[in-house]
């Protein structure tokens, strides 16, 4: 089939690759000049399944919220019922394990390699922070994930550079989780996809899908539309504008995440594994020769409040690893929209409109779910059973 993939983040590149594996003629359309320029550029890069869960972290809101964003926040509260969250968590864990297996296959076959940080330590500042995490950790244990409970003394033996002046209640360690460089992965996989014949059209926006012919795409800069057999939408926060005219209505919101990237100042003062501050949902890791601090989520913030969100990252870095990074100069500060649905899980599969498929809304879980999501979409396009719970993660959960 002749298939268009809209969006060239980690999800879009992975989807294009898997469709090409199945022998399809694939073209990727991306409005930016390079792959993985938005949400995929500098997120935490969690790869292991251990931390994959429906997004339920705090979202800082400002006074500039639109009516749609206010409604999205209310829907988020309504959908946070325990039974629904538990079902979504199980579905995401299933997909995360399948994604890890597929990624490892690709890394071995294509010799992908890349910057990697092994292990994930969750730090609990207070007993309340620890108690709040226990249901999620217990679910991981029941799913077969090794979770080690650590006292502060044991945690400091594993992470020797933890600031002695910052006291905390305890920690949990996920030995088999990883953090990687999502943009690096996307660039290498893009090259592999191109060798298989995938075409990447950069700086090329796609007009809104039309209800009469949703697989007839009006491509930016071309005088007439181009016909495809299928369209897979992997766009970010702008996907709602693209899909709505075709009759696909998803409550997708742009939730902004933040990151800092700075040169390592002294390796002995930097973390060995990835470290997650559970209070602030901020992850600190070493990716290559740089320290990456990422986290936070906000909507409708003023410029002043956005600056405050970045300052929180500096604070968390100083709390735990004050001597790890050169923060006086050459610090890359990043802010980008993460596409997020109100129940915190992605939509993967059929859109309900013939010929239009969805692989979007992964939020902060994109790196961990990309390979499994892409393989599942390719299987569904081919009529094969996917490696995910299609009902739990399908578009029907919002349209039923």
């Amino acid at each position: 089939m002749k298939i268009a993939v809209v969006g060239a983040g980690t999800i879009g590149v992975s989807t294009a690759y898997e469709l090409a594996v199945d022998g399809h003629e694939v073209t990727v359309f991306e409005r930016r000049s390079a792959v993985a320029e938005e949400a995929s550029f500098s997120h935490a890069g969690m790869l292991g399944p251990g931390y994959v869960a429906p997004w339920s972290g705090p979202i800082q809101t400002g006074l500039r919220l639109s009516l749609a964003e206010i409604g999205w926040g209310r829907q988020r509260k309504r959908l946070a019922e325990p039974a629904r969250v538990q079902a979504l968590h199980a579905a995401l864990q299933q997909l995360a394990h399948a994604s890890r297996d597929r990624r490892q296959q690709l890394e071995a076959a294509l010799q992908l390699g890349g910057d990697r940080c092994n292990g994930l330590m969750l730090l609990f500042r207070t007993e309340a922070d620890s108690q709040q995490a226990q249901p999620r950790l217990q679910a991981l244990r029941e799913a077969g994930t090794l979770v080690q409970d650590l006292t502060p003394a044991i945690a400091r033996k594993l992470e020797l550079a933890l600031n002695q002046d910052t006291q905390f209640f305890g920690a949990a360690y996920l030995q088999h989780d990883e953090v990687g460089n999502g943009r690096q992965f996307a660039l290498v996989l893009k090259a592999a996809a191109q060798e298989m014949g995938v075409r990447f059209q950069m700086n090329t926006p796609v007009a809104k899908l039309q209800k009469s012919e949703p697989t007839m795409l009006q491509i930016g800069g071309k005088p007439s539309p181009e016909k495809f057999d299928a369209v897979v939408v992997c766009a970010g926060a702008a996907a709602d504008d693209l899909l709505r005219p075709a009759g696909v209505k998803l409550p997708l919101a742009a939730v902004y995440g933040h990151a800092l990237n700075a040169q390592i100042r002294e390796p002995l003062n930097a973390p060995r594994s990835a470290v997650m501050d559970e209070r602030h949902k901020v992850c600190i890791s070493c990716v290559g020769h740089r320290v990456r601090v990422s986290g936070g989520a906000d909507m409708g913030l003023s410029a002043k409040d956005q600056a405050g969100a970045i300052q929180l990252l500096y604070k968390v870095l100083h709390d735990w690893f004050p001597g790890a990074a050169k923060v006086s100069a050459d610090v890359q500060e990043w802010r980008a929209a993460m596409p997020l649905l109100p129940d915190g899980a992605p939509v993967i599969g059929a859109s309900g409109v013939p010929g239009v498929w969805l692989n979007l809304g992964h939020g902060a879980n994109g790196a961990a779910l990309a390979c499994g999501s892409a393989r599942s979409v390719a299987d569904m396009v081919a009529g094969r059973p996917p490696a995910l719970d299609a009902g739990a993660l399908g578009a029907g959960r919002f349209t039923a």
Side-chain angles (χ1 to χ4, degrees):
M1 286 196 293
K2 181 181 178 182
I3 301 179
V5 174
V6 182
T10 306
I11 301 296
V13 174
S14 299
T15 301
Y17 177 85
E18 295 294 351
L19 290 168
V21 166
D22 285 357
H24 299 293
E25 178 188 344
V26 183
T27 303
V28 180
F29 298 100
E30 169 57 49
R31 63 181 181 175
R32 297 256 184 180
S33 60
V35 302
E37 284 282 289
E38 297 189 45
S40 299
F41 183 76
S42 193
H43 55 53
M46 298 285 187
L47 296 177
Y51 206 73
V52 172
W55 174 264
S56 59
I59 297 177
Q60 185 181 2
T61 57
L63 299 176
R64 299 184 178 185
L65 290 178
S66 66
L67 291 177
E69 289 171 332
I70 292 172
W72 184 91
R74 291 172 178 168
Q75 188 175 7
R76 183 174 185 248
K77 292 180 179 179
R78 289 198 303 270
L79 295 178
E81 52 194 49
R84 183 186 180 100
V85 173
Q86 185 177 6
L88 282 174
H89 188 268
L92 289 176
Q93 280 292 302
Q94 175 190 356
L95 179 59
H97 281 84
S99 188
R100 178 188 61 187
D101 294 344
R102 181 56 179 159
R103 188 186 71 251
Q104 290 174 347
Q105 290 173 1
L106 294 178
E107 288 174 344
L110 303 175
Q111 298 181 336
L112 294 181
D115 298 329
R116 194 65 56 87
C117 179
N118 297 318
L120 172 63
M121 181 179 291
L122 313 180
L123 293 174
F124 308 120
R125 291 177 181 259
T126 65
E127 183 176 4
D129 294 338
S130 175
Q131 290 299 321
Q132 186 175 4
Q134 291 312 308
R136 176 162 46 88
L137 295 178
Q138 182 57 34
L140 292 178
R141 292 186 177 97
E142 293 172 358
T145 298
L146 177 62
V147 181
Q148 299 172 259
D149 294 318
L150 307 178
T151 64
I154 300 280
R156 291 186 187 280
K157 288 182 179 179
L158 288 176
E159 283 292 349
L160 297 175
L162 279 172
N163 189 356
Q164 294 292 333
D165 294 331
T166 301
Q167 302 301 310
F168 59 102
F169 175 79
Y173 187 60
L174 283 64
Q175 179 180 350
H176 300 298
D177 270 31
E178 303 170 285
V179 164
N181 188 325
R183 186 166 191 265
Q184 185 182 59
F185 177 83
L187 287 167
V188 175
L189 196 61
K190 175 196 173 187
Q194 286 176 312
E195 290 181 1
M196 299 174 64
V198 176
R199 294 186 302 152
F200 284 81
Q201 301 292 320
M202 313 310 292
N203 295 309
T204 307
V206 174
K208 298 176 181 180
L209 305 186
Q210 299 304 310
K211 194 166 189 177
S212 58
E213 291 188 275
T215 60
M216 182 78 77
L217 299 187
Q218 182 63 57
I219 310 301
K222 293 188 177 182
S224 58
E226 185 174 353
K227 177 66 176 176
F228 292 87
D229 298 311
V231 176
V232 185
V233 179
C234 305
D240 183 52
D241 291 338
L242 189 73
L243 291 164
R244 189 170 290 272
V248 182
K249 298 179 181 179
L250 293 174
L252 195 67
V255 176
Y256 286 83
H258 307 266
L260 305 173
N261 287 279
Q263 290 291 329
I264 294 175
R265 178 182 179 184
E266 168 52 64
L268 292 177
N269 292 334
R272 295 179 174 180
S273 60
V275 173
M276 173 69 75
D277 183 315
E278 279 288 297
R279 165 73 60 81
H280 298 293
K281 302 298 181 186
V282 170
C283 181
I284 306 170
S285 62
C286 291
V287 182
H289 299 291
R290 299 177 74 87
V291 176
R292 173 173 294 174
V293 188
S294 57
D298 66 69
M299 300 172 70
L301 294 190
S302 65
K304 179 180 179 181
D305 290 335
Q306 292 172 24
I310 289 288
Q311 288 305 311
L312 175 62
L313 302 184
Y314 283 103
K315 175 189 181 303
V316 173
L317 174 62
H318 184 268
D319 283 351
W320 298 114
F321 299 98
K326 297 178 182 178
V327 295
S328 58
D330 192 30
V331 178
Q332 180 190 60
E333 297 181 354
W334 172 87
R335 180 178 186 264
M338 300 182 295
L340 197 64
L341 290 147
D343 62 5
V347 166
I348 303 167
S351 69
V353 172
V356 178
W357 300 83
L358 306 174
N359 193 5
L360 50 82
H362 294 72
N365 291 322
L369 298 178
C371 294
S373 298
R375 186 64 254 164
S376 294
V377 168
D379 286 339
M380 286 188 277
V381 169
R384 296 188 295 264
L388 56 75
D389 186 336
L393 298 178
R397 71 185 195 265
F398 293 110
T399 59

